[in-house]
């Protein structure tokens, strides 16, 4: 089927130099008047001047089709491509993307599988670097939570573990403002509880906090250093809700040498996968640790001039929680047996809501030196309850019939007169009295 083509006559528009419409407004399709017409009668003949050159006649009107007419009006310029969503979000593509090349660390592992003789050495070196925290500055995906820089120092003479928290870098944003309110809390594993929990101050609105804060664990013996693992957790404080966990690192204390300050810079992890932590779960010594009720630091001094024994209750550490709030109100009782009446019983002050109380109190017994081998010093720690019977936390006995560190402490007191001897002792439930 064919449609007739309608032809229309369109006059050519005015020349480019003309900025005004034709003098005859009756029809825009009419041709402009010829420039060869006679001059206006208002022009005097004398001013007409020499005759102008002949002007060519205007071209005939151009005839165009209706389709061309509409095309000119509708499409004045080139057709532009329509923007696609992939132009604004480059990760959305309707074609497969070539996967990125594997990391260099994975390539090395593949080479080891092919039979490289140095594979075992490389794996051993990577394992040592990971344990020492030397992968902190790598570009591995595990470090996206941030890194933590800290120092550890074990003071065996004073049975202290010094933990200096320096700073963290590149922490994950936890708040709506794109920042966080981070702090660090420390636990000793196994047996993490409020008794061995330490924490730094909270720094507001930062992803690169600098603490430079030293936290001290008291009552840490050389035996603890071989079985314990230190866990450092970085958390975000939220006043309106529950504090949020960012990441953690774990350090096996058995790799820390006495008197050596070791620096760590480790990447935070959601779940720390350490072989040391898994092996401790089946450690036969773990059951003994779980039976401990805390530690107590005691000093003994025998003064020959006064024929007296001075017992100092310095502090306790990692006591068992006895109250519903997760803490205790501890105090210490000491008794020198055989009982010498009221002069043989002493009691310290009560420290409220703490599992690491510091007493620094001394008590004196007037007893001849030759009678000390026949005596036994009973030390017990209690939780004070108002209007109720006090709860027994743990105790220890020092005397000639004791064993291990307890016997050694008592023996040195008898041997070195005039010298104050301090020892940490483990509190146990053995020998708990029937009443306080």
């Amino acid at each position: 089927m064919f449609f007739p083509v309608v032809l229309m006559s369109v006059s050519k528009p005015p020349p480019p130099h003309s900025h005004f419409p034709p003098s005859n407004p009756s029809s825009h399709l009419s041709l402009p008047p010829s420039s060869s017409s006679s001059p206006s009668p208002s022009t005097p003949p004398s001013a007409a001047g020499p005759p102008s050159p002949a002007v060519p006649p205007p071209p005939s009107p151009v005839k165009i089709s209706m389709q061309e007419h509409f095309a000119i009006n509708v499409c004045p310029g080139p057709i532009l491509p329509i923007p696609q969503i992939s132009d604004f979000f480059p990760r959305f593509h309707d074609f497969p993307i070539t996967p990125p090349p594997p990391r260099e660390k994975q390539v090395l592992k593949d080479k080891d599988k092919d039979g490289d003789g140095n594979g075992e050495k490389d794996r051993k070196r990577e394992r040592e670097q990971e344990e020492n925290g030397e992968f902190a500055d790598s570009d591995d995906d595990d470090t996206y939570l941030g890194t933590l820089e800290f120092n550890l120092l074990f003071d065996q003479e004073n049975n202290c573990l010094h933990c200096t928290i320096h700073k963290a870098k590149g922490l994950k944003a936890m708040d709506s403002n794109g920042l966080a309110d981070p702090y660090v809390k420390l636990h000793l594993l196994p047996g993490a509880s409020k008794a061995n929990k330490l924490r730094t101050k909270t720094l507001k609105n930062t992803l690169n906090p600098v603490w430079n804060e030293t936290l001290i664990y008291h009552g840490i013996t050389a035996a603890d250093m071989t079985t314990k693992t230190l866990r450092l957790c970085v958390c975000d404080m939220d006043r309106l809700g529950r504090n949020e966990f960012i990441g953690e690192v774990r350090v096996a204390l058995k790799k820390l040498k006495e008197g050596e300050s070791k620096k760590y810079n480790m990447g935070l992890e959601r779940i720390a996968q350490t072989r040391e932590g898994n092996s401790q779960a089946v450690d036969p010594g773990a059951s003994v640790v779980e039976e401990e009720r805390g530690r107590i630091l005691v000093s003994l001094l025998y003064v020959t001039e006064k024929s007296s024994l001075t017992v100092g209750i310095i502090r306790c550490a990692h006591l068992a929680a006895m109250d519903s709030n997760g803490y205790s109100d501890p105090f210490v009782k000491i008794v020198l047996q055989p009982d010498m009446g009221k002069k043989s019983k002493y009691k310290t002050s009560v420290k409220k809501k703490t599992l690491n109380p510091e007493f620094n109190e001394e008590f004196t017994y007037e007893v001849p030196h030759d009678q000390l081998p026949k005596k036994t010093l009973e030390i017990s720690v209690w939780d004070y309850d108002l209007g109720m019977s006090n709860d027994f936390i743990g105790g220890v006995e020092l005397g000639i019939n004791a064993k291990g560190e307890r016997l050694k402490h008592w023996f040195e007191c008898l041997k070195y007169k005039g010298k104050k001897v301090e020892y940490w002792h483990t509190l146990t439930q053995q020998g708990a009295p029937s009443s306080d």
Side-chain angles (χ1 to χ4, degrees):
M1 180 180 293
F2 297 92
F3 295 95
V5 177
V6 180
L7 300 179
M8 60 181 296
S9 176
V10 180
S11 62
K12 196 169 185 179
H17 63 272
S18 176
H19 300 283
F20 301 97
S23 58
N24 185 9
S26 61
S27 174
H28 66 279
L29 297 178
S30 62
L31 295 175
S34 175
S35 59
S36 60
S37 60
S38 60
S40 174
S42 61
T43 306
S46 59
S52 60
V55 178
S60 61
V62 180
K63 296 181 180 181
I64 61 175
S65 65
M66 186 67 69
Q67 288 86 344
E68 292 175 338
H69 174 68
F70 285 128
I72 292 175
N73 293 337
V74 175
C75 302
I79 299 176
L80 300 177
I82 300 176
Q84 298 183 359
I85 191 173
S86 59
D87 297 333
F88 302 96
F89 301 96
R91 64 179 179 273
F92 293 108
H93 294 279
D94 54 357
F95 53 88
I97 303 177
T98 304
R103 294 192 299 270
E104 182 179 357
K105 186 176 179 182
Q106 295 178 352
V107 174
L108 291 177
K109 290 184 177 179
D110 294 339
K111 291 182 180 179
D112 296 342
K113 293 179 181 178
D114 295 338
D116 190 358
N118 298 327
E120 185 64 28
K121 295 181 180 180
D122 294 339
R123 283 191 293 269
K124 184 177 181 182
R125 182 170 61 254
E126 291 174 3
R127 208 160 38 234
E128 293 176 354
Q129 290 175 342
E130 184 178 2
E131 293 171 354
N132 295 333
E134 297 179 5
F135 281 151
D137 295 331
S138 65
D139 294 333
D140 199 356
D141 294 339
D142 295 336
T143 61
Y144 80 97
L145 297 174
T147 59
L148 182 63
E149 183 177 328
F150 57 96
N151 273 61
L152 297 180
L153 171 63
F154 176 54
D155 184 3
Q156 187 172 2
E157 182 179 355
N158 297 315
N159 295 104
C160 296
L161 177 63
H162 298 261
C163 309
T164 302
I165 311 300
H166 293 296
K167 60 183 178 180
K169 292 178 62 178
L171 295 181
K172 182 180 179 182
M174 305 298 291
D175 298 338
S176 58
N177 58 0
L179 300 174
D181 303 327
Y183 67 91
V184 182
K185 63 179 180 179
L186 286 68
H187 285 105
L188 284 176
L189 303 178
S193 64
K194 290 185 178 181
N196 55 41
K197 172 187 172 183
L198 300 175
R199 63 164 289 175
T200 66
K201 58 187 177 182
T202 302
L203 300 182
K204 298 289 186 179
N205 297 328
T206 179
L207 298 180
N208 300 284
V210 179
W211 289 283
N212 288 328
E213 190 173 343
T214 301
L215 307 175
I216 303 176
Y217 276 107
H218 296 276
I220 303 298
T221 62
D224 294 329
M225 297 296 292
T226 61
T227 59
K228 296 286 187 180
T229 297
L230 180 65
R231 180 174 66 186
L232 301 93
C233 302
V234 181
C235 301
D236 171 62
M237 184 177 180
D238 190 355
R239 291 185 176 181
L240 302 179
R242 187 176 182 181
N243 296 344
E244 296 179 289
F245 174 78
I246 298 179
E248 71 173 35
V249 297
R250 299 190 184 188
V251 179
L253 298 181
K254 63 183 179 181
K255 299 184 178 297
L256 193 63
K257 298 180 181 179
E258 192 273 329
E260 176 187 0
S261 179
K262 192 170 183 180
K263 185 176 182 178
Y264 296 84
N265 191 358
M266 305 177 65
L268 298 176
E269 299 176 335
R270 280 292 183 181
I271 301 177
Q273 300 175 355
T274 55
R275 291 172 295 276
E276 291 80 7
N278 297 334
S279 62
Q280 286 176 349
V282 295
D283 190 356
S287 59
V288 178
V289 176
E290 293 177 354
E291 294 178 357
E292 294 182 4
R293 310 290 290 175
R295 306 283 178 86
I296 186 170
L297 180 59
V298 180
S299 67
L300 298 179
L301 170 64
Y302 187 82
V303 182
T304 308
E305 293 78 5
K306 298 181 180 181
S307 298
S308 62
L309 173 66
T310 302
V311 180
I313 305 299
I314 301 176
R315 67 187 311 144
C316 295
H318 320 323
L319 294 180
M322 306 301 292
D323 297 337
S324 58
N325 59 3
Y327 294 95
S328 296
D329 302 325
F331 68 94
V332 181
K333 293 177 60 177
I334 57 175
V335 180
L336 188 63
Q337 299 285 8
D339 195 352
M340 299 185 302
K342 293 184 178 180
K343 294 183 179 181
S344 65
K345 299 180 180 180
Y346 289 101
K347 184 186 301 185
T348 68
S349 57
V350 178
K351 303 297 180 180
K352 294 291 185 178
K353 197 179 178 180
T354 178
L355 300 178
N356 299 278
E358 187 172 354
F359 298 99
N360 290 322
E361 299 183 27
E362 292 185 344
F363 308 94
T364 303
Y365 293 98
E366 295 182 358
V367 55
H369 186 268
D370 57 353
Q371 295 294 322
L372 280 181
K374 304 176 183 179
K375 300 290 184 178
T376 299
L377 183 64
E378 297 180 354
I379 303 174
S380 56
V381 183
W382 298 77
D383 170 55
Y384 176 77
D385 288 328
L386 181 62
M388 301 174 61
S389 60
N390 299 327
D391 298 321
F392 176 75
I393 297 179
V396 62
E397 292 184 359
L398 306 180
I400 203 68
N401 297 322
K403 297 179 180 180
E405 296 290 325
R406 296 169 293 171
L407 175 60
K408 184 178 180 181
H409 193 187
W410 191 255
F411 177 77
E412 290 185 3
C413 174
L414 298 179
K415 182 178 180 180
Y416 303 108
K417 303 175 184 177
K419 178 182 178 181
K420 180 180 291 188
V421 184
E422 295 182 357
Y423 268 81
W424 280 94
H425 298 288
T426 301
L427 301 174
T428 63
Q429 289 182 324
Q430 297 179 356
S434 57
S435 63
D436 58 347

